[in-house]
Amino acid sequence: MPRDDEWYREEYKGREEELISSEEILEMTGYTRGALTKWKSRHEDMPKEVCKKWRDTSAQKRGHGALDSYWVRDEMLPFLEKRLELAQVHRAEDDRDSRYAIVSVRLREDTAKLAWIAEQETSLKTALSKLREEREQIQDRLVDDRRFVAAYERENQQEKKESL
């Protein structure tokens, strides 16, 4: 029997590519699920969850429980960065390697996101250019059509005057 996901912010249904799961957060930061749970109760600036989704039981995934929490990626990444920076103050110099691993993952993700944004910008510029061209064609046609209509109406008025 399929189980329903729990949505708290319905506006993100169908926009899953904008979300980040607790599992992704754990892999990216090296923190535990317990840390995520504590953040919810201790930090008012922690972003609100978007939903909880049932895990694929066939996949070998890290963690416990049947549900995985999701947040808006663009809201959660700055929060995580702040947590990591604060933790860095308390870390020994030996932790530079683990920090490197975390930052390199974020670097790859941000690079991919920037590439996607650039692609979207190019696509939008192309679409805008086509719309501008179409607008100019319609504006040119409107000028010609208005001249024709005005001339036609003048001729009709002139013919009516002459027939009276």
Side-chain angles (χ1 to χ4, degrees):
M1 177 175 120
R3 299 176 186 159
D4 291 335
D5 298 331
E6 298 174 19
W7 286 89
Y8 312 117
R9 295 169 71 184
E10 297 264 343
E11 67 270 21
Y12 286 96
K13 267 190 179 179
R15 296 167 52 191
E16 283 78 6
E17 70 277 357
E18 295 179 46
L19 305 180
I20 185 169
S21 70
S22 55
E23 181 164 338
E24 290 176 275
I25 292 169
L26 300 179
E27 290 174 5
M28 185 171 40
T29 63
Y31 282 104
T32 64
R33 286 190 184 278
L36 280 175
T37 302
K38 287 177 187 174
W39 291 344
K40 290 178 195 178
S41 63
R42 293 183 183 174
H43 300 285
E44 291 181 11
D45 62 336
M46 182 169 176
K48 302 295 180 216
E49 282 181 281
V50 172
C51 67
K52 287 188 179 182
K53 291 184 165 206
W54 288 95
R55 285 178 196 256
D56 180 5
T57 54
S58 64
Q60 295 296 323
K61 300 259 181 167
R62 174 180 166 183
H64 310 287
L67 290 170
D68 204 7
S69 298
Y70 287 81
W71 292 266
V72 176
R73 184 178 302 275
D74 290 343
E75 293 173 2
M76 185 54 101
L77 290 179
F79 174 82
L80 293 174
E81 192 166 328
K82 183 178 175 183
R83 298 272 66 79
L84 290 171
E85 286 172 4
L86 290 172
Q88 188 67 24
V89 171
H90 303 291
R91 287 188 181 172
E93 202 60 1
D94 301 282
D95 289 337
R96 286 178 49 89
D97 290 339
S98 62
R99 176 76 174 147
Y100 171 81
I102 293 165
V103 171
S104 64
V105 168
R106 185 174 61 222
L107 182 63
R108 283 193 300 275
E109 288 178 351
D110 287 350
T111 301
K113 180 81 172 196
L114 284 175
W116 179 83
I117 290 170
E119 182 181 313
Q120 294 301 308
E121 286 176 338
T122 301
S123 176
L124 290 170
K125 283 179 185 176
T126 302
L128 182 59
S129 176
K130 288 178 183 177
L131 286 172
R132 284 182 178 149
E133 186 177 312
E134 184 178 0
R135 183 193 69 211
E136 289 172 5
Q137 290 172 352
I138 291 171
Q139 287 173 330
D140 289 345
R141 188 173 61 220
L142 278 173
V143 169
D144 291 341
D145 289 350
R146 285 184 181 131
R147 286 181 184 154
F148 171 79
V149 167
Y152 180 84
E153 289 172 351
R154 273 194 314 271
E155 287 174 13
N156 276 348
Q157 287 176 352
Q158 187 65 30
E159 287 175 12
K160 284 182 185 177
K161 285 181 183 177
E162 290 175 2
S163 65
L164 291 177

